[in-house]
Amino acid sequence: MPYVALDLETTGLDPDNDEIIEVAAIRFDADRVIDTYQTFVNPGRKLQYRIALLTGIDPAALESAPHFGSIAVEVEDFIGLDPIVGQNPTFDTTFLQRKGVQVFGPTYDTFELAGLLLPGLQQHSLGAIAEHLGIESSVWHRAMPDADAARRVFLALRHRLLESPPVVLAEADRLAAMSDWPLRHLLREVAALRPRAPGDSGRDGFVHEFVRAPGEIPAPLRSNERQVPADPKEAVRVISSPAMREALEAYEERPEQTAMARIVAETVGRGERLIVEAGTGVGKSLAYLVPAALQAARNNERVVVSTNTINLQEQLIAQDIPVARRLLREAGVGEDDLRVAQLKGRRNYLCLLRWAAARRNASLTPEEARVLVRTLFWLGETETGDRAEINLRREEDAAWWRLSAQDSGCLATQCAYVRDGSCFLHRARRRAEAAHLLVVNHALLLSDVAAGGNVLPDYQHLVVDEAHHLEDEATQQLGFSASEQDVMSWLERVHVRGGRERASGVAASVIEATRASQQAAAPAPQLQTMARTVAKLTAAAREAVPPFFRALRDFGAQHSSGRGDYDERLLLSRGIRVQPDWADIEAAWYATEEALAAVCGALDELQAMLSQAQPDALLDRDAIVGEAAAVREDGERLRAGISQIINRDDRDRVCWMTTLRRDAAPTLASAPLSVAETLRTALFDPKQSVVLTSATLSADDSFDYVKGRLGYEDARELLLGSPFDYKTSTLILAPSDMPEPDNHGYLAAVRESIVEMVTASEGRALVLFTSHAGLRAAYDGIKAPLEERQILVLGQGIDGPPRQLLGVLRENFRTVVLGAASFWEGVDVTGEALSLLVMARLPFSVPTDPVFQARSELFESPFEQYALPQAILRFKQGFGRLIRSKHDRGAVVLLDRRLDSKYYGRVF
């Protein structure tokens, strides 16, 4: 079978407005290269610096090249009818089709194929896949080397596919054939080369045909009757032992780390509260892990460690906890039996019951087929069933949702997978119950609070890292939001039928299951009748939802300020609710709520009937019962949440409406006015010991602001500076001739300053903005002059996601990255790649943000007591992006003269 590896270089990413500048194609089969084709193409325009830099193409080489129209036929002839191979080949074929080239063969994406066969690989760029497979290439972003790399990667992955068990290939072929997923042709080809032998019923070490047999999990922890509190002296001895030098490269003794380990051990051992700010470079993770491990392992107790970001979670699991375990062992403490687990939310785990039911669907969307086939191959390897292992795309989220263990009652359903111990969620819970150290994120920690302690196993000791995020995460977890899309998506989960697509949703599953069941007798007609009633009510509700959200949009347009950046937010205050046209909103919601309530009521009846049916009388009964329960529960939550916003003026909650664009349907949201009391009574008070830590918790050398916001007033305090020598490593500049941010001329001055500074630093720069509008305005003004000086300008939300932009900065120092909110923390670029950090303005919250606006009213002096401390914490986070190691040096420039002109500048 011949294939064609194809790659284009273009002037940009838009097929309608950009041009092709190079074409390369290779015809090949499994054994040899058959033919090649390569040519430059004259784009008829000046080649931008960034494209010339990325590709290494000399613009002069394009001037004498043919225009694409003159080579279109020969490109089309070369490709012919053969399958096209490439990294995201749809990008290339779309460009060709826009230029009049007809593409007939299927496209085989090496990105998708790697996702299928290399599920653990986190980076799926062509270079990363090639490196993982041991394929070398010295040149990237040129058409012929990239096409050849795609060819070799494809052949290596095809070989791996051929080595897959025939039973897996046969099932992959069957599933893919039910959709129009392009890879179905390749799966059919390979499955034909390795047919399943007669009588091949399974594999050794597997249960349920495709699921690996579960391994042993230790018994749940049982706390020792005689408790031995963590010894501060022992914690200090362990963390300052010679083993520390062996465990960590470039280790330096840090008094701050020792001091933190001592006080954390005291806190955990005595059952107290502690808040610690540990500056960058202290090594705070080990400073709390060592005493936490001592307390947990000595007493068979559980310590929960909560972080905000996935990156820190993975760092703790993969790096810091193994180091802590090694330190304990080599210091002679003898904690070899320290058990560690990571627990995530239900939606992160594959539900085998739902997966098995989905395999029996009559037809699949490309996304559903792709996710089912990927999980089919992955099941032979995974021990956890955690979706993070397969690196799903955003457009695959809906398909994963339908396969995940998100039903809150699923563990109560004793399905075959729970009974034999192969259920991934059940196993994750058991590992958590057996762990001394349990690592979670803030979202799961706080969902446990919201659920009354039913999410996490019982624990008495808590360490919260990245604690400066705790209030925001509590606001989100204890809050509510719903858009028109959310409601319509929920109705689709109940029932939907469109065009030629099969009906889907709970109602359709019931009808299909009763038809398919060989033993369906007495309950089948009643179930089908009830399912059709649900479908009919769902169709009526689908008609009732849009008028309500149109009324909201019209109301928002009438009462909003019109000064929004990415979105427009309207606080639904008492003053707004007494406006005459608010009555129209209430009337529209009354009709919509009635329709949604009817659907929920019918679902309740359907669920009751399903639960009474015998398991063998209904195909996949347990999966359908669980799905019906989850859908009904989500519908009730949506209905109750919207109703609370529309019908109640709750003094303890903030309600608002967000519109992304003037013509877009709005989102309704609510959140607690304060989370302090909930955190105090439901999270902190029940625990024996609690430690809150972060690099940024104090404002003006005081913890009062954070302690007040979190209900943590009775805690001991420790403020540790960074071991980095900022006085010799960091130059701080605050120009005094800048206009103030709200004054005329400020934007022009920012643009001019950035161009001058980035020219002087020769790139190596990060510029932080407090809004996307400010970022885009600066980007438009600095891009041309800096790229004329051969300095690449990259903007968040314009040129790619943060990880990609930072990767370019690390590889090409002559780069400046413009970032907004997510760049103020979590960015870690060491060495010369980042030598200039610019803050466009002080990071105050937007005064019109509904939550900020409502919470400000709780203070006698809102600016000094709320806005200023909040901005200082963000400011410190931003400052921390520059110096990430003792060898780093650079300059911080603050383009906000309020540092000098306003009384509060001294605090910053």
Side-chain angles (χ1 to χ4, degrees):
M1 162 73 79
Y3 312 92
V4 174
L6 174 69
D7 191 75
L8 307 180
E9 299 301 334
T10 63
T11 60
L13 304 178
D14 184 356
D16 293 318
N17 297 302
D18 287 304
E19 299 292 334
I20 298 170
I21 56 175
E22 188 179 17
V23 180
I26 305 171
R27 174 169 283 102
F28 67 100
D29 60 23
D31 302 313
R32 64 193 177 100
V33 171
I34 301 169
D35 198 3
T36 63
Y37 178 92
Q38 187 276 333
T39 181
F40 286 124
V41 180
N42 189 331
R45 63 174 70 170
K46 181 182 178 182
L47 193 64
Q48 289 187 7
Y49 167 70
R50 64 178 59 206
I51 303 301
L53 177 68
L54 181 68
T55 62
I57 294 175
D58 183 354
L62 303 181
E63 294 177 4
S64 58
H67 291 275
F68 190 83
S70 65
I71 62 166
V73 172
E74 58 189 58
V75 171
E76 183 173 300
D77 288 345
F78 187 91
I79 295 173
L81 302 178
D82 295 327
I84 294 173
V85 170
Q87 182 83 351
N88 186 21
T90 304
F91 171 85
D92 304 282
T93 56
T94 302
F95 260 92
L96 292 178
Q97 288 166 340
R98 291 289 193 277
K99 300 302 179 185
V101 173
Q102 295 298 310
V103 179
F104 301 100
T107 55
Y108 297 160
D109 189 347
T110 50
F111 175 92
E112 283 196 329
L113 199 52
L116 197 68
L117 299 168
L118 307 172
L121 188 63
Q122 292 301 306
Q123 295 294 322
H124 282 169
S125 67
L126 183 59
I129 299 169
E131 182 180 358
H132 180 82
L133 295 171
I135 296 170
E136 295 184 3
S137 181
S138 58
V139 180
W140 296 105
H141 303 300
R142 283 296 303 274
M144 184 54 77
D146 282 2
D148 189 54
R151 175 187 69 86
R152 290 185 288 160
V153 163
F154 172 76
L155 288 175
L157 293 173
R158 183 180 178 275
H159 180 71
R160 288 196 175 213
L161 197 58
L162 276 165
E163 291 181 332
S164 300
V167 63
V168 173
L169 288 174
E171 180 66 4
D173 174 31
R174 188 188 70 81
L175 290 171
M178 291 191 288
S179 76
D180 58 357
W181 183 28
L183 276 183
R184 72 186 186 278
H185 301 289
L186 178 64
L187 291 169
R188 171 61 51 87
E189 172 196 334
V190 173
L193 294 173
R194 291 204 65 197
R196 183 174 179 176
D200 182 4
S201 59
R203 292 175 284 169
D204 291 340
F206 281 72
V207 294
H208 308 293
E209 194 170 23
F210 300 110
V211 182
R212 183 178 291 279
E216 290 296 319
I217 295 176
L221 285 182
R222 292 196 175 186
S223 180
N224 297 346
E225 290 185 10
R226 182 175 177 274
Q227 294 289 299
V228 181
D231 184 352
K233 293 181 180 178
E234 190 172 39
V236 169
R237 178 173 67 83
V238 170
I239 207 162
S240 57
S241 66
M244 192 74 155
R245 296 183 180 276
E246 300 171 11
L248 297 176
E249 293 183 15
Y251 168 75
E252 287 184 338
E253 188 173 344
R254 289 165 284 189
E256 296 89 353
Q257 186 181 51
T258 305
M260 181 173 173
R262 178 184 291 109
I263 197 170
V264 170
E266 291 175 0
T267 301
V268 175
R270 297 174 184 173
E272 297 177 338
R273 306 281 182 271
L274 173 67
I275 185 166
V276 185
E277 178 175 288
T280 306
V282 165
K284 63 177 171 23
S285 298
L286 285 173
Y288 63 69
L289 285 173
V290 167
L294 283 169
Q295 177 73 23
R298 285 277 170 83
N299 300 288
N300 263 329
E301 291 187 310
R302 183 175 298 106
V303 178
V304 169
V305 178
S306 181
T307 77
N308 187 64
T309 61
I310 294 175
N311 287 344
L312 182 53
Q313 267 194 32
E314 300 300 334
Q315 177 188 313
L316 291 177
I317 294 292
Q319 300 176 34
D320 297 333
I321 290 177
V323 170
R325 182 184 272 123
R326 176 178 173 181
L327 292 177
L328 293 172
R329 182 176 62 250
E330 296 191 12
V333 178
E335 314 302 350
D336 290 329
D337 195 32
L338 181 71
R339 297 195 293 271
V340 179
Q342 182 179 13
L343 187 62
K344 298 183 179 181
R346 291 174 173 271
R347 297 173 189 174
N348 291 279
Y349 298 100
L350 180 70
C351 173
L352 292 170
L353 186 66
R354 285 199 171 109
W355 184 81
R359 286 172 51 211
R360 287 189 278 271
N361 284 339
S363 65
L364 301 168
T365 67
E367 289 75 21
E368 289 171 336
R370 194 161 55 220
V371 171
L372 275 172
V373 174
R374 287 183 68 181
T375 50
L376 171 70
F377 281 89
W378 171 56
L379 279 175
E381 302 178 20
T382 184
E383 295 285 342
T384 67
D386 180 357
R387 66 166 288 173
E389 294 180 359
I390 52 174
N391 200 23
L392 294 174
R393 303 188 204 180
R394 183 174 297 176
E395 59 266 28
E396 295 169 334
D397 283 349
W400 172 266
W401 167 277
R402 289 188 282 274
L403 301 177
S404 71
Q406 35 83 4
D407 173 18
S408 61
C410 67
L411 290 183
T413 303
Q414 292 298 305
C415 72
Y417 303 100
V418 173
R419 286 196 300 270
D420 69 18
S422 59
C423 168
F424 291 122
L425 177 61
H426 186 58
R427 291 177 61 76
R429 292 291 183 82
R430 288 177 58 202
R431 280 191 293 267
E433 290 170 355
H436 296 102
L437 294 182
L438 177 59
V439 180
V440 302
N441 64 12
H442 294 352
L444 190 64
L445 178 74
L446 293 161
S447 69
D448 184 59
V449 171
N454 293 324
V455 175
L456 302 180
D458 183 55
Y459 65 100
Q460 289 302 313
H461 303 280
L462 172 64
V463 177
V464 180
D465 202 342
E466 300 178 310
H468 60 286
H469 283 291
L470 196 59
E471 182 186 15
D472 287 344
E473 191 59 47
T475 300
Q476 184 171 334
Q477 289 297 317
L478 302 175
F480 168 86
S481 71
S483 65
E484 181 176 359
Q485 181 60 44
D486 292 329
V487 180
M488 298 301 275
S489 294
W490 173 73
L491 290 171
E492 288 180 5
R493 290 174 61 202
V494 181
H495 185 265
V496 66
R497 177 187 293 278
R500 298 179 181 177
E501 291 291 326
R502 65 176 177 84
S504 63
V506 170
S509 295
V510 171
I511 294 171
E512 199 172 300
T514 53
R515 288 173 179 167
S517 176
Q518 297 298 314
Q519 302 187 25
Q526 296 93 325
L527 282 170
Q528 289 190 8
T529 299
M530 192 69 236
R532 291 190 178 98
T533 299
V534 170
K536 182 178 178 181
L537 291 170
T538 303
R542 194 174 285 111
E543 297 294 322
V545 171
F548 168 63
F549 281 94
R550 279 199 299 271
L552 279 175
R553 183 192 62 201
D554 295 342
F555 183 87
Q558 185 68 29
H559 295 280
S560 296
S561 65
R563 297 193 300 269
D565 178 7
Y566 263 12
D567 53 42
E568 183 75 26
R569 297 187 177 189
L570 176 66
L571 178 65
L572 300 179
S573 62
R574 184 167 298 178
I576 285 291
R577 293 172 186 272
V578 299
Q579 298 299 315
D581 47 351
W582 182 255
D584 298 335
I585 301 296
E586 293 175 323
W589 171 242
Y590 179 81
T592 304
E593 183 180 27
E594 196 172 47
L596 296 178
V599 176
C600 288
L603 277 172
D604 197 26
E605 289 186 51
L606 180 62
Q607 182 190 344
M609 294 174 66
L610 287 166
S611 299
Q612 292 169 7
Q614 292 299 314
D616 58 355
L618 188 67
L619 188 65
D620 298 322
R621 190 208 70 160
D622 288 347
I624 296 173
V625 169
E627 180 68 10
V631 170
R632 183 189 61 79
E633 183 178 314
D634 288 345
E636 291 288 5
R637 182 187 62 81
L638 277 172
R639 186 170 68 88
I642 298 175
S643 184
Q644 184 181 51
I645 292 172
I646 301 299
N647 296 330
R648 290 178 57 190
D649 181 20
D650 190 340
R651 293 176 178 272
D652 295 326
R653 293 188 74 82
V654 187
C655 300
W656 70 94
M657 179 171 66
T658 301
T659 303
L660 297 179
R661 300 180 308 277
R662 282 292 181 183
D663 59 342
T667 297
L668 288 169
S670 68
L673 185 59
S674 171
V675 298
E677 185 61 25
T678 300
L679 292 178
R680 178 189 298 112
T681 58
L683 182 61
F684 302 140
D685 285 353
K687 303 296 173 280
Q688 186 175 328
S689 73
V690 181
V691 176
L692 303 188
T693 185
S694 168
T696 51
L697 287 172
S698 69
D700 201 15
D701 294 331
S702 169
F703 290 106
D704 290 350
Y705 169 75
V706 167
K707 290 169 75 172
R709 302 306 304 154
L710 300 179
Y712 202 62
E713 291 87 354
D714 60 344
R716 297 173 67 188
E717 301 176 0
L718 180 63
L719 180 57
L720 297 170
S722 170
F724 298 152
D725 184 0
Y726 289 114
K727 288 187 177 180
T728 59
S729 68
T730 311
L731 175 67
I732 301 180
L733 302 173
S736 59
D737 57 351
M738 290 287 295
E740 292 201 1
D742 294 330
N743 290 356
H744 178 73
Y746 171 72
L747 175 59
V750 167
R751 288 172 167 175
E752 181 183 356
S753 299
I754 293 173
V755 169
E756 290 183 4
M757 290 184 292
V758 172
T759 300
S761 68
E762 299 181 343
R764 305 183 298 167
L766 172 64
V767 186
L768 299 177
F769 293 86
T770 57
S771 74
H772 288 276
L775 185 155
R776 292 192 301 271
Y779 179 93
D780 291 340
I782 69 172
K783 181 174 179 288
L786 283 175
E787 294 198 350
E788 284 177 3
R789 302 171 198 189
Q790 297 188 333
I791 295 175
L792 188 60
V793 179
L794 300 175
Q796 179 186 0
I798 302 172
D799 298 303
R803 178 182 293 179
Q804 179 182 329
L805 304 189
L806 294 171
V808 175
L809 178 62
R810 291 185 183 100
E811 293 174 8
N812 174 33
F813 290 4
R814 294 187 67 82
T815 299
V816 54
V817 173
L818 279 58
S822 61
F823 276 84
W824 284 77
E825 61 178 293
V827 172
D828 195 354
V829 181
T830 58
E832 291 187 30
L834 180 55
S835 299
L836 171 64
L837 176 73
V838 181
M839 298 187 198
R841 60 193 299 168
L842 298 174
F844 286 105
S845 292
V846 179
T848 55
D849 176 80
V851 176
F852 178 85
Q853 191 176 346
R855 287 177 174 171
S856 294
E857 296 176 2
L858 300 175
F859 296 89
E860 291 183 9
S861 302
F863 181 79
E864 285 81 4
Q865 293 176 290
Y866 185 46
L868 184 59
Q870 188 182 75
I872 290 168
L873 294 183
R874 290 179 185 153
F875 178 81
K876 292 168 71 173
Q877 283 286 343
F879 180 89
R881 298 315 94 212
L882 182 66
I883 305 299
R884 306 300 299 170
S885 76
K886 69 172 186 175
H887 302 293
D888 286 351
R889 58 194 299 272
V892 176
V893 182
L894 313 166
L895 299 179
D896 193 333
R897 67 169 305 194
R898 289 177 296 178
L899 280 167
D900 183 55
S901 65
K902 301 297 185 183
Y903 71 92
Y904 53 78
R906 176 198 62 79
V907 186
F908 285 97

